[in-house]
Amino acid sequence: MLRDFLLNLPRRHKRILQVVTDLVLIWLCLWLAFVVRLGLDKAWAAVHEHAWLFFATPLITIPLCIRFGMYRAVMRYLGREALVEITKALTVAALVLSVVILLLQRPEEPQIPRSFLMLYWTISLVVLGGLRLLMRQYFLGDWRGIGGHWFRQRRHLPKVAVYGAGSAGNQLVRALRMGNAMEPVAFLDDDNSIATRTIAGLKVYKPKHIEEMLRVTGATQVLLAMPSATRARRREVLTLLESYPVHVRSVPGFMDLAQGVVKVQDLQEVDIADLLGRDAVVPNQALFERCIKNQVVLVTGAGGSIGSELCRQILTSGATTLVLYEHSEFNLYAISQELQQRVKNEALQVKLVPVLGSVRNKKRLLEVFRSWPVNTVYHAAAYKHVPIVEHNIAEGIRNNVMGTLYAAQAAIETGVQNFVLISTDKAVRPTNVMGSTKRLAEMVLQALSQENEVKLFSDTDTRSLPNNTRFTMVRFGNVLGSSGSVIPLFRKQIRDGGPVTVTHPEMTRYFMTIPEAAQLVIQAGSLGQGGDVFVLDMGEPVRILEMAQKMIRLSGLTVRSDEEPAGEIAIEFSGLRPGEKLYEELLIGDNVSRTEHPMIMRASEEFLPWAELCEVLRHLLALADRGECVEIREVLQDTVTGYQPQSDIVDWVHLQARGEQKT
């Protein structure tokens, strides 16, 4: 096929072919200019009389075309800028040619008509520029860009409407036509100034005319081209589209668009953060940098969902050294590779130190803390999945409680200035071991904050050390897109045709995006006076059932129910898992105060003195070593305010041991 042959030619051969073609076209334009001015009969005589023009014009025009980059442009990606350069090259060439004619033409010789040059310039623009436009459409395999309605009817691609007729929408339409994967058939836009107009060959419909648009065009998908819109505005649009049988997807963010041409493969499912409709608060830069700028920062659990995002934001906040402490080799490798690439690409002046290690290894922690003069620690390492910890109770104690204790003591021993614990709303009146261990970790830091001289928790070390570390705890709910989140699970289930599994129809959760949570954690850590428990404003709680229903509808599918038995995707209720509760809380009591940040609150909650807490920790650690799950839960109930287990013990080892005893 000719198209494939031309596309597969070496770049050098393509340029030679363009030059030869332009040479022939220049001769054609000169002849046509004589024909238009003098008529066909006299044109041949003029060509004979002024034959030198057919040698001079290419010698002038071709070098100028090369100089203006006409042969560097890729034909199938030819854009407005390339057409401007063609116009410039041909205009300058025509002007130079006019000077040459003025200098070389003698009065006694036949004169070139004065209008000839204007005619030649006009014809050359049409022929050379027009041919390039035609070849672009030919190489793309898409003739719609030049108004070919007949070709449009022959296509059998998925029909899509683009919501947003601005620059992003137009860019998306060009990308879709280039990709030959979808057929854009209409724009949707609420701007009255462009409503009912035609842009890029597509009619612009108002949102209130969606039904008409769907009927006329047959569109099955709507692509959101609103990269700079607020989340509140995007939520309005999604709520509007939810009631129509269309699959809704969106283009990347504004910065992604700014960095390059949108590709079809860049289209993504609707960001669930848009369904929440809450815009992130711009960070307070002074708070953001207070514990980071010009300091050595260490992040435990650096490869996790929150830990990795903390590292990304710390990277660009002026830290001199960033220590990534992680027990998973794969996670450490992944985040360190990503950050190293950013350091290289953005020429950042920060040293990255990826370190393998567990927070349960106090010797390793102390070794790392002493090797670098750490100023600030963000302690994100924890077991966080409720059912998993419920099935592995002793490990939850060792990692979440003792790991926090060992990291805090290493900070005191090495003189770390700031220590920030990433906590959870599940620590409030917990119904599971994970939540109770996180609350106990908070209590450890609260107790240490009250000690100016700390006698370390150790069987051998009886020293009392000065405590110059400021401990802070930050408590928030679920983050969108974290490992184990329901959102990726729902998407997979919808993609597989269902059913979508929800634990309980009344299940509600607080949600926040990972970047927003990390930003607020960093800022909250700067607000602490010592022993503070900060609570992030998570907005309104979200019913998981409603979120699942919205995701199904925005995928262009219907929910199967008693009212609509013919629906495409069923929702099944699997029941609460061990340790789960229907509602999450952020505060144990009502003693809460505002801070200088509108989304960060300070809570005041009870805790045990350090000496008394140490006895509890010794007892818990001994029980964990022996695998005494019943006794561990009893100690947690006596220690953690509001802890009320709602299920039997489901620890795997405990159940196996009971089974062996029965046999």
Side-chain angles (χ1 to χ4, degrees), residues 29-30 32-39 94 98 101 105 111-123:
C29 292
L30 288 169
L32 287 174
F34 280 121
V35 170
V36 172
R37 177 63 181 83
L38 303 173
S98 66
I101 292 173
Q105 189 169 249
Q111 299 294 298
I112 297 174
R114 277 178 269 180
S115 59
F116 168 81
L117 281 172
M118 182 58 69
L119 290 169
Y120 165 72
W121 176 75
T122 305
I123 294 171

Side-chain angles (χ1 to χ4, degrees), residues 153-197:
Q153 298 300 320
R154 292 179 56 186
R155 301 178 65 88
H156 302 285
L157 300 175
K159 293 179 171 60
V160 300
V162 177
Y163 201 114
S167 58
N170 278 270
Q171 191 174 347
L172 177 59
V173 167
R174 288 197 297 271
L176 292 172
R177 288 172 172 170
M178 190 180 301
N180 278 327
M182 300 176 182
E183 181 182 4
V185 293
F187 280 113
L188 287 165
D189 205 294
D190 52 8
D191 187 348
N192 291 325
S193 64
I194 60 174
T196 71
R197 291 176 59 187

Side-chain angles (χ1 to χ4, degrees), residues 41-111:
D41 295 336
K42 295 182 179 179
W44 291 110
V47 169
H48 180 73
E49 293 169 352
H50 307 292
W52 62 272
L53 274 177
F54 289 79
F55 294 96
T57 304
L59 289 175
I60 295 170
T61 305
I62 298 295
L64 284 170
C65 290
I66 295 172
R67 177 64 182 85
F68 280 89
M70 282 178 56
Y71 305 116
R72 290 197 300 269
V74 180
M75 193 74 71
R76 61 184 182 275
Y77 299 136
L78 196 73
R80 182 179 60 186
E81 295 78 10
L83 293 176
V84 170
E85 295 304 311
I86 293 172
T87 303
K88 288 180 181 177
L90 294 178
T91 301
V92 173
L95 292 172
V96 173
L97 183 61
S98 66
V99 173
V100 171
I101 292 173
L102 184 65
L103 294 174
L104 297 182
Q105 189 169 249
R106 298 176 182 177
E108 64 272 14
E109 295 178 348
Q111 299 294 298

Side-chain angles (χ1 to χ4, degrees), residues 380-539:
Y383 293 151
K384 66 177 184 178
H385 296 290
V386 169
I388 295 295
V389 178
E390 208 69 19
H391 288 299
N392 299 272
I393 293 176
E395 295 306 295
I397 296 293
R398 294 191 184 99
N399 197 75
N400 292 0
V401 181
M402 305 311 298
T404 301
L405 172 64
Y406 296 151
Q409 290 193 157
I412 292 172
E413 287 192 67
T414 56
V416 171
Q417 299 167 8
N418 310 293
F419 188 105
V420 183
L421 168 69
I422 304 336
S423 191
T424 171
D425 58 356
K426 293 173 179 61
V428 180
R429 280 183 279 273
T431 57
N432 51 70
V433 175
M434 193 282 282
S436 61
T437 57
K438 291 297 289 184
R439 175 57 191 146
L440 196 53
E442 292 179 355
M443 293 171 66
V444 168
L445 300 192
Q446 287 177 292
L448 286 172
S449 296
Q450 303 303 309
E451 302 294 317
N452 295 323
E453 295 282 333
V454 179
K455 186 176 180 181
L456 298 180
F457 178 88
S458 174
D459 294 330
T460 57
D461 196 340
T462 58
R463 295 175 298 161
S464 291
L465 299 176
N467 181 11
N468 298 312
T469 304
R470 182 170 59 90
F471 293 102
T472 304
M473 296 131 275
V474 186
R475 187 186 292 163
F476 54 92
N478 298 273
V479 288
L480 295 169
S482 65
S483 60
S485 171
V486 297
I487 305 305
L489 175 62
F490 285 172
R491 281 194 174 132
K492 181 181 183 301
Q493 290 173 336
I494 293 170
R495 194 165 53 248
D496 294 342
V500 173
T501 55
V502 178
T503 52
H504 193 280
E506 298 301 321
M507 175 75 76
T508 64
R509 289 291 183 268
Y510 291 99
F511 284 101
M512 180 178 284
T513 65
I514 294 177
E516 185 180 10
Q519 284 182 1
L520 292 173
V521 163
I522 292 172
Q523 294 173 87
S526 301
L527 290 170
Q529 304 297 317
D532 307 84
V533 177
F534 290 108
V535 180
L536 304 186
D537 181 356
M538 301 290 295

Side-chain angles (χ1 to χ4, degrees), residues 538-558:
M538 301 290 295
E540 295 297 319
V542 178
R543 285 184 68 199
I544 304 301
L545 175 61
E546 291 180 0
M547 182 175 288
Q549 292 169 337
K550 286 179 179 290
M551 290 180 67
I552 292 171
R553 293 188 186 110
L554 291 172
S555 298
L557 304 169
T558 54

Side-chain angles (χ1 to χ4, degrees), residues 77-320:
Y77 299 136
L78 196 73
R80 182 179 60 186
E81 295 78 10
L83 293 176
V84 170
E85 295 304 311
I86 293 172
T87 303
K88 288 180 181 177
L90 294 178
T91 301
V92 173
L95 292 172
V96 173
L97 183 61
S98 66
V99 173
V100 171
I101 292 173
L102 184 65
L103 294 174
L104 297 182
Q105 189 169 249
R106 298 176 182 177
E108 64 272 14
E109 295 178 348
Q111 299 294 298
I112 297 174
R114 277 178 269 180
S115 59
F116 168 81
L117 281 172
M118 182 58 69
L119 290 169
Y120 165 72
W121 176 75
T122 305
I123 294 171
S124 64
L125 281 178
V126 173
V127 173
L128 271 72
L131 180 64
R132 280 168 165 76
L133 287 176
L134 287 170
M135 294 305 295
R136 181 186 71 172
Q137 302 306 128
Y138 174 68
F139 288 133
L140 290 176
D142 177 21
W143 297 94
R144 292 168 298 169
I146 53 175
H149 180 74
W150 185 77
F151 293 96
R152 184 183 307 178
Q153 298 300 320
R154 292 179 56 186
R155 301 178 65 88
H156 302 285
L157 300 175
K159 293 179 171 60
V160 300
V162 177
Y163 201 114
S167 58
N170 278 270
Q171 191 174 347
L172 177 59
V173 167
R174 288 197 297 271
L176 292 172
R177 288 172 172 170
M178 190 180 301
N180 278 327
M182 300 176 182
E183 181 182 4
V185 293
F187 280 113
L188 287 165
D189 205 294
D190 52 8
D191 187 348
N192 291 325
S193 64
I194 60 174
T196 71
R197 291 176 59 187
T198 299
I199 298 176
L202 305 179
K203 184 177 178 180
V204 183
Y205 291 85
K206 287 186 177 181
K208 64 181 180 182
H209 298 146
I210 291 180
E211 286 191 19
E212 178 190 348
M213 183 274 293
L214 295 176
R215 186 179 66 256
V216 172
T217 65
T220 58
Q221 298 187 41
V222 174
L223 308 180
L224 299 185
M226 306 165 59
S228 57
T230 63
R231 282 187 189 152
R233 173 60 184 144
R234 292 170 73 89
R235 183 184 184 182
E236 291 177 9
V237 173
L238 292 174
T239 302
L240 171 68
L241 296 174
E242 187 185 341
S243 57
Y244 297 98
V246 290
H247 185 184
V248 183
R249 293 198 283 174
S250 63
V251 300
F254 185 80
M255 290 306 298
D256 295 324
L257 287 175
Q259 292 170 3
V261 177
V262 177
K263 302 180 180 66
V264 175
Q265 55 264 36
D266 293 328
L267 294 171
Q268 56 198 22
E269 297 299 322
V270 171
D271 190 349
I272 301 301
D274 295 334
L275 294 179
L276 302 181
R278 187 182 68 179
D279 294 315
V281 176
V282 178
N284 183 324
Q285 203 61 29
L287 288 177
F288 203 80
E289 296 178 348
R290 187 174 296 170
C291 298
I292 296 174
K293 194 169 184 174
N294 300 322
Q295 298 189 37
V296 178
V297 182
L298 183 145
V299 180
T300 69
S305 302
I306 293 295
S308 59
E309 182 60 30
L310 284 169
C311 291
R312 294 184 190 101
Q313 299 193 18
I314 292 167
L315 196 70
T316 56
S317 300
T320 59

